[in-house]
């Protein structure tokens, strides 16, 4: 039987994949990004992500490489809100490179032209020819493990690596963010009304109490 924990031992980075929806920049977080040939890179994006259809229309996309020092807000905005109803780049500073949006607070970027799209049941795998790219500043690239272990982030449900985690409540009261899975230890009702989830920045109302069994 599959031990799902073995999947946590794959290594990934954390990236923002972006494109232009007409003249509106949009994007989403991706961790399944890999160089597959000397000149090509693949990214896997869920069918439900707005960015998926935008890349299909535009034919070009960029990959911004996040570092351990990149603002965690970038992950909140690009990972846990939808570009269909939010102008994500209104909240996150970007530059335009080769007519594509690139996250300013990243350590580098790659510009890609879509050459192949492989449709899987839940995701599209976009293969892109590398057109351009550059290093923007020094920094340690953020790994998915760092995001999990240090930022205490979770995968959105649309991520290829999403695993339904079994939550084993400790003794005492715990709450779970229904959006990102963040666990709050203690009685969240004692937090002020403006409390927001530290990972996805959603309000207190999205937390549900975990009942011990
Ligand atoms: Fe959250």
């Amino acid at each position: 039987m599959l031990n799902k924990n073995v999947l946590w031992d794959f290594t990934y980075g954390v990236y923002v994949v972006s494109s232009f929806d007409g003249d509106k920049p949009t994007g989403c977080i991706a961790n399944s990004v890999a160089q597959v040939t000397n000149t090509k890179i693949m990214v896997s994006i869920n069918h439900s992500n707005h960015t998926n259809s935008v890349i299909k229309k535009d034919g070009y996309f960029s990959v911004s490489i996040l570092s351990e020092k990149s603002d965690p807000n970038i992950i909140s905005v690009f990972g846990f809100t939808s570009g269909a109803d939010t102008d994500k780049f209104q909240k996150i500073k970007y530059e335009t490179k080769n007519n594509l949006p690139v996250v300013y607070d990243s350590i580098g970027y790659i510009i890609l032209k879509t050459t192949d799209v492989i449709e899987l049941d839940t995701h599209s795998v976009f293969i892109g020819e590398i057109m351009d790219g550059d290093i923007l500043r020094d920094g340690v690239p953020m790994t998915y493990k760092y995001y999990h272990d240090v930022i205490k982030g979770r995968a959105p449900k649309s991520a290829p690596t999403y695993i339904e985690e079994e939550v084993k409540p400790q003794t005492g009261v715990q709450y779970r963010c229904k959006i990102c899975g963040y666990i709050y230890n203690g009685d969240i009702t004692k937090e002020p009304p403006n409390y927001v989830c530290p990972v996805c920045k959603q309000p207190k109302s999205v937390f549900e109490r975990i009942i011990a069994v």
Side-chain angles (χ1 to χ4, degrees), residues 177-182 197-202 206-207:
C177 173
K178 284 190 279 189
I179 307 299
C180 75
Y182 175 79
C197 172
V199 175
C200 71
K201 314 292 180 198
Q202 299 300 305
V206 305
F207 279 82

Side-chain angles (χ1 to χ4, degrees), residues 167-174 183 185 210 212:
V167 181
K168 295 200 183 73
Q170 314 296 311
T171 47
V173 182
Q174 284 187 312
I183 302 290
N185 285 303
I210 305 168

